Each structure stands twice: as structure tokens, then as C-alpha cells.
């Protein structure tokens, strides 16, 4: 904070010095640059204007009806269901013309807002949508070849926040939503369907709402009082916030003329009767008096805040470490140097990580190789032992075969000798028998 105050004081000193160096001169005759405002008006009329309205409120609270009534036309918006699982934003753009002034009007409706059982994140899609429009404009600004003159500006200029006419207090969802939006968009709170409660209750409800907004730090849009031509009426209208409105496109005959009104069994509520509701006040402040200020506040305040935060996130600053002004080129070079330093550091980290992983992999492979070698040696040793056992068994078998062969040969010799002895004995017996017979 101290740095910011030093920066602001330095900037103000520079501005004072520049003002002191400006000389005021008196011209001797007509030149013609007094026609600049007329040129600006003609060019603006030729180019046309754009205005973007965000309507936030629960389904069925009367958002579409009020917009139709404000611009005195039917935008043909279809009725929304209460059964959407998530909040979604629907944008519709229309071309309107009044006299010779063309207006490109974009109406963004929050479909399904407040209809879910868990309303915790109901406001987040709205915040994301507003940021997305700022981001699109910023990207167009940062292009080398820009076309901002023909660019369709979709930034939200005003948020009409519709409050249910409960007569008690704001809902938690209303406070959370407005608190998250007040730094991004101009919020104008309106009490919808204000004919649902009495005038006394309505006045107490207004005081209660403003007290809750102030105590919770919610910044709503205040009509500007720096322009003398509208300062008085704007200051007066700031005291009427939030506006209690009734919308209707139906016409009812009252006296001798047809008026926009809502007809009930107990009477008629005239939309454009300031004794019945604040619709006329809202239309005067929103469209007739402060539309350009809303556009300007969106660009100079809300968009500038988003742009500054975004550029600071990217590393761009107006002053250096010694509180000296920095040009965009210097900031870019510093950021480029920082980026390359970070890139070099990451490359070194990746190299070291790669070497470390290679070493770890080599150690794992060496361990696996050692285990495989040990297993191979073990198997070789087992194989040698098995082979030696097999050789021993083979030797014993061969010895047994030789021994058996010897025994077989001896047996055969013995059998032959026995057969020969038996043959000689038989021959002797035969000869003896023959001799006896003779």
C-alpha cells in the first residue's frame, strides 16, 4: 500500500508539473474547432451505439416483461423452465432505432438462476460470462492489427438485479451474487413485482435492503453527480434506490386514454404512474440520463480493473524496482529475460532428472544382470552336479554290464561242459548195453 501511495503521489506531481508548463492563450479570431462536438455527435450517430444489459433474477420474477416495457417492444423471449440443472446465460442482440439514432441492444438473461436445490455456485457462471467478455475485448486490444472501430463490444454495461418482493430481507444468494459482481459490473437493484406488497411495507423493505447492502459491503451503481446538468436529479434518484418496479405490455383504459397497466379485481396498477411504482424513474435513469455514463464506467472502471489485474498477472508493471517508470519494451525485455532464465533452469532440472533416472535405471539393470548371472552360475553348477551323477551312474551300469557279460560267458562254458559230459556218459551206456545184448 505504501508503494502504491508513493506511485500515486509521483504521478500527481508529474501531472502538476505538466499543467504548470501549459500556457493559456487568447485567439484573435475565429478558427473553427468549436465544431468538434458537432463532428463527434455526427460520427457517433453514423456509427451507432451499443448497450448490453444483464438481467439477474429468479425464474418467473418478471425480467423479460420489464425489459419489454422499458424499450416499449416485444423481444419475443420464450418462457423458461424451473428444472434446469445448472445456470446458463442466454444472450440476444437486437437492432433498435429511435429517430435517427441506432442502438444495438444485447440482453443477457440468467436462465435457471436460483432454481437449484444447491445454490452455492449459482453466481459463478455469471462471473465467468462477464470475465469472458472482458477477456475477448482485451484480446482484441492486444492484437497487432486491431479493429476496435467495427468490434462488437459485448461487455456488460449494467446489471439489473431483480429482488423478490418478500418484504423481509435479502436472500443469502442475492448477497453472495451482488458481492461477487460489484467489482465487475454496474449493479442497479430493482424490486420486481412491487405491486405484491403495500406502500408502507415497500418503503420499509427499501430501507432494509439498502442497510443490508451497506453492512455487507456491496457496492451498487450510484448515479453520477459531477455533471451540473443532471447532478440534482441523480442525487435525488440515488435516494430512491432500489427501484420498485412493475412491468406490463397490456394496455388498459383509464379515463379517456389507454395506459400500460396491470389490472386486478381490486384495481389497476399503472406502470408509468410514479405514485404506483418507480418504473418511470428507472427508465429515466437507465436510458434517458445515464446510459452513456454506464458505458463509460464499464470501460474506465470495471474493464480497466480487469485489464490491470490481467496484465499484472502476465508480469507487466508501470514502474521498476526503484519506482522508476518502465516502458512496455523494458518490461517485455525483463519478462523475456526472466522467461529464458526460467526455461534454462527447467532445462537444467530436466537434464539432472534425466541423468538421475538413467543412473537409477543402470543400477536396476546391473542388479538384474547380477541376479541373472548368479542364477546362471547356480544352474550351471546344478547342471555339472547332475552331469557328474549321471556319469557315475553310467559307469556303474557299464561295470554291471561287464560283470553280467562275464557271468554269462562262464555260465555258457559251464553249460557246454555239462552237455559234453552228459553226451559221453550216454554213449558209454549205449555201448555197454549193446555189448551185453551181443
Amino acid at each position: 500500500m505504501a508503494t502504491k501511495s508513493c506511485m500515486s503521489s509521483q504521478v500527481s506531481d508529474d501531472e502538476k508539473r505538466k499543467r504548470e508548463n501549459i500556457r493559456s492563450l487568447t485567439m484573435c479570431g475565429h478558427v473553427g474547432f468549436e465544431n468538434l462536438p458537432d463532428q463527434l455527435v455526427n460520427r457517433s450517430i453514423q456509427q451507432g451505439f451499443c448497450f448490453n444489459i444483464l438481467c439477474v433474477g429468479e425464474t418467473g420474477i418478471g425480467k423479460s416483461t420489464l425489459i419489454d416495457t422499458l424499450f416499449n417492444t416485444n423481444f419475443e423471449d420464450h418462457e423458461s423452465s424451473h428444472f434446469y440443472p445448472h445456470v446458463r446465460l442466454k444472450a440476444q442482440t437486437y437492432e433498435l432505432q429511435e429517430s435517427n439514432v441506432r442502438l444495438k441492444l444485447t440482453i443477457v438473461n440468467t436462465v435457471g438462476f436460483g432454481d437449484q436445490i444447491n445454490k452455492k455456485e449459482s453466481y459463478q457462471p455469471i462471473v465467468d460470462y462477464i470475465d469472458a467478455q472482458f477477456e475477448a475485448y482485451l484480446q482484441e486490444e492486444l492484437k497487432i492489427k486491431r479493429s476496435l472501430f467495427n468490434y462488437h463490444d459485448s461487455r456488460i454495461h449494467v446489471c439489473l438485479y431483480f429482488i423478490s418482493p418478500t418484504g423481509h430481507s435479502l436472500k443469502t444468494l442475492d448477497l453472495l451474487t451482488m458481492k461477487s459482481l460489484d467489482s465487475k459490473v454496474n449493479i442497479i437493484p430493482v424490486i420486481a413485482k412491487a405491486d405484491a406488497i403495500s406502500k408502507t411495507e415497500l418503503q420499509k423493505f427499501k430501507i432494509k435492503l439498502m442497510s443490508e447492502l451497506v453492512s455487507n459491503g456491496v457496492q451498487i451503481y450510484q448515479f453520477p453527480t459531477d455533471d451540473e446538468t443532471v447532478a440534482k436529479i441523480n442525487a435525488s434518484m440515488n435516494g430512491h434506490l432500489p427501484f420498485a418496479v412493475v412491468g406490463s405490455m397490456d394496455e388498459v383504459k383509464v379515463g379517456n386514454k389507454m395506459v400500460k397497466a396491470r389490472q386486478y379485481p381490486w384495481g389497476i396498477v399503472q406502470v408509468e404512474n410514479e405514485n404506483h411504482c418507480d418504473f418511470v424513474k428507472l427508465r429515466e435513469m437507465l436510458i434517458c440520463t445515464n446510459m452513456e455514463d454506464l458505458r463509460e464506467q464499464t470501460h474506465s472502471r470495471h474493464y480497466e480493473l480487469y485489464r490491470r489485474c490481467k496484465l499484472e498477472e502476465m508480469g507487466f508493471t508501470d514502474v521498476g524496482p526503484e519506482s522508476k517508470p518502465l516502458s512496455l519494451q523494458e518490461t517485455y525485455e525483463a519478462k523475456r529475460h526472466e522467461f529464458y532464465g526460467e526455461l534454462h533452469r527447467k532445462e537444467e532440472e530436466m537434464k539432472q532428472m534425466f541423468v538421475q533416472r538413467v543412473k537409477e535405471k543402470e543400477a536396476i539393470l546391473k542388479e538384474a544382470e547380477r541376479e541373472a548371472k548368479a542364477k546362471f552360475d547356480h544352474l550351471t553348477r546344478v547342471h555339472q552336479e547332475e552331469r557328474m551323477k549321471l556319469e557315475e551312474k553310467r559307469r556303474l551300469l557299464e561295470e554291471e554290464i561287464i560283470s553280467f557279460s562275464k557271468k554269462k560267458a562262464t555260465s555258457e562254458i559251464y553249460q557246454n561242459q555239462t552237455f559234453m559230459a552228459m553226451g559221453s556218459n550216454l554213449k558209454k551206456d549205449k555201448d555197454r548195453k549193446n555189448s551185453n545184448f551181443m
Side-chain angles (χ1 to χ4, degrees):
M1 294 295 292
T3 306
K4 288 184 179 179
S5 61
C6 292
M7 289 166 53
S8 60
S9 62
Q10 182 179 1
V11 172
S12 61
D13 291 341
D14 292 341
E15 289 179 353
K16 287 179 180 178
R17 283 195 295 269
K18 288 179 181 178
R19 290 196 190 101
E20 290 174 357
N21 293 330
I22 298 175
R23 296 171 58 196
S24 297
L25 299 176
T26 303
M27 295 183 299
C28 299
H30 176 75
V31 175
F33 57 79
E34 63 181 9
N35 295 320
L36 272 174
D38 297 332
Q39 296 175 27
L40 183 61
V41 168
N42 294 333
R43 183 164 184 176
S44 298
I45 291 175
Q46 183 181 1
Q47 184 180 354
F49 301 88
C50 72
F51 193 64
N52 306 319
I53 303 176
L54 171 65
C55 299
V56 181
E58 299 174 357
T59 305
I61 203 170
K63 300 187 292 294
S64 300
T65 304
L66 181 65
I67 294 298
D68 289 350
T69 314
L70 277 172
F71 291 94
N72 199 20
T73 186
N74 288 306
F75 290 105
E76 299 178 354
D77 192 13
H78 301 289
E79 291 185 4
S80 300
S81 170
H82 287 269
F83 303 103
Y84 289 104
H86 305 289
V87 178
R88 63 186 184 90
L89 280 81
K90 184 176 70 173
Q92 292 285 342
T93 302
Y94 306 92
E95 290 276 357
L96 304 179
Q97 183 165 349
E98 187 177 32
S99 299
N100 62 337
V101 178
R102 291 180 295 107
L103 178 67
K104 185 179 287 186
L105 177 68
T106 300
I107 301 169
V108 184
N109 195 8
T110 53
V111 180
F113 180 78
D115 290 339
Q116 294 76 32
I117 296 176
N118 183 7
K119 301 178 176 63
K120 185 177 180 182
E121 300 296 332
S122 294
Y123 61 86
Q124 193 58 47
I126 305 173
V127 175
D128 294 341
Y129 180 85
I130 295 173
D131 286 344
Q133 311 317 307
F134 283 152
E135 182 64 26
Y137 193 88
L138 178 61
Q139 291 302 320
E140 183 65 28
E141 258 193 347
L142 294 177
K143 285 182 180 179
I144 296 175
K145 188 177 180 180
R146 302 187 298 180
S147 57
L148 290 175
F149 180 79
N150 298 322
Y151 178 75
H152 174 53
D153 187 3
S154 59
R155 296 173 297 175
I156 301 299
H157 297 123
V158 65
C159 168
L160 293 180
Y161 196 93
F162 290 74
I163 300 170
S164 299
T166 60
H168 300 292
S169 61
L170 283 170
K171 298 178 181 178
T172 304
L173 177 61
D174 296 331
L175 283 172
L176 289 174
T177 304
M178 282 193 275
K179 185 63 179 175
S180 62
L181 295 179
D182 63 356
S183 62
K184 299 177 180 295
V185 68
N186 303 308
I187 300 176
I188 298 180
V190 294
I191 302 172
K193 298 184 177 180
D195 53 345
I197 54 178
S198 66
K199 279 190 174 183
T200 306
E201 291 175 335
L202 184 60
Q203 194 60 34
K204 291 179 180 178
F205 189 38
K206 282 188 175 187
I207 297 171
K208 178 71 173 175
L209 293 183
M210 291 304 296
S211 174
E212 288 185 343
L213 291 174
V214 172
S215 61
N216 286 279
V218 178
Q219 300 291 328
I220 63 172
Y221 175 73
Q222 295 290 315
F223 304 117
T225 56
D226 51 353
D227 185 355
E228 294 180 359
T229 58
V230 293
K232 187 175 181 180
I233 186 171
N234 279 350
S236 173
M237 289 299 117
N238 283 329
H240 286 84
L241 289 171
F243 293 132
V245 297
V246 176
S248 176
M249 290 298 290
D250 299 331
E251 291 191 346
V252 178
K253 188 172 184 180
V254 177
N256 295 324
K257 61 178 182 177
M258 301 296 291
V259 296
K260 288 185 174 64
R262 301 188 76 90
Q263 189 166 15
Y264 298 99
W266 46 263
I268 296 173
V269 178
Q270 298 180 35
V271 173
E272 296 179 328
N273 188 333
E274 295 191 44
N275 293 321
H276 291 183
C277 69
D278 296 331
F279 173 80
V280 174
K281 295 183 179 68
L282 174 63
R283 186 175 60 188
E284 279 290 322
M285 292 296 99
L286 178 67
I287 301 174
C288 302
T289 307
N290 297 300
M291 181 180 281
E292 182 55 33
D293 184 72
L294 288 165
R295 286 158 40 91
E296 184 180 340
Q297 285 291 319
T298 299
H299 182 78
S300 61
R301 180 185 167 198
H302 300 296
Y303 171 69
E304 283 300 319
L305 176 62
Y306 177 86
R307 178 179 174 274
R308 185 174 74 246
C309 293
K310 206 67 177 175
L311 292 178
E312 286 176 352
E313 287 178 9
M314 296 167 63
F316 292 96
T317 56
D318 292 330
V319 293
E322 300 177 357
S323 299
K324 293 182 179 179
L326 282 179
S327 65
L328 183 63
Q329 180 67 24
E330 291 172 333
T331 306
Y332 171 76
E333 289 296 334
K335 197 66 181 174
R336 183 170 175 269
H337 180 71
E338 180 184 346
F339 171 76
Y340 278 112
E342 184 70 16
L343 181 63
H344 181 69
R345 186 183 63 82
K346 288 185 177 180
E347 284 181 352
E348 289 298 324
E349 287 181 358
M350 291 180 68
K351 285 179 181 178
Q352 293 176 3
M353 188 181 296
F354 178 75
V355 170
Q356 182 66 24
R357 289 187 178 180
V358 168
K359 288 181 179 179
E360 291 175 357
K361 197 67 176 177
E362 284 180 350
I364 293 172
L365 291 175
K366 285 180 179 180
E367 181 66 20
E369 184 181 2
R370 188 185 62 79
E371 292 178 357
K373 190 175 182 303
K375 189 174 182 180
F376 177 75
D377 293 342
H378 174 71
L379 292 175
T380 303
R381 190 163 53 252
V382 171
H383 176 69
Q384 290 292 339
E385 292 174 357
E386 292 293 331
R387 185 176 179 183
M388 290 175 65
K389 289 179 182 179
L390 188 61
E391 290 292 335
E392 181 66 22
K393 288 182 179 180
R394 181 181 176 184
R395 185 183 61 77
L396 293 174
L397 181 60
E398 288 178 349
E399 289 178 355
E400 288 180 0
I401 291 172
I402 293 170
S403 176
F404 177 75
S405 298
K406 288 180 180 180
K407 289 180 180 180
K408 182 179 178 183
T410 304
S411 176
E412 288 177 351
I413 293 170
Y414 177 73
Q415 286 179 356
N416 289 336
Q417 290 176 353
T418 303
F419 287 147
M420 288 178 66
M422 288 179 64
S424 62
N425 290 334
L426 288 174
K427 187 174 181 183
K428 287 179 180 181
D429 290 340
K430 186 176 180 182
D431 290 340
R432 190 166 47 248
K433 288 180 181 180
N434 288 335
S435 63
N436 291 333
F437 180 74
M438 296 241 358

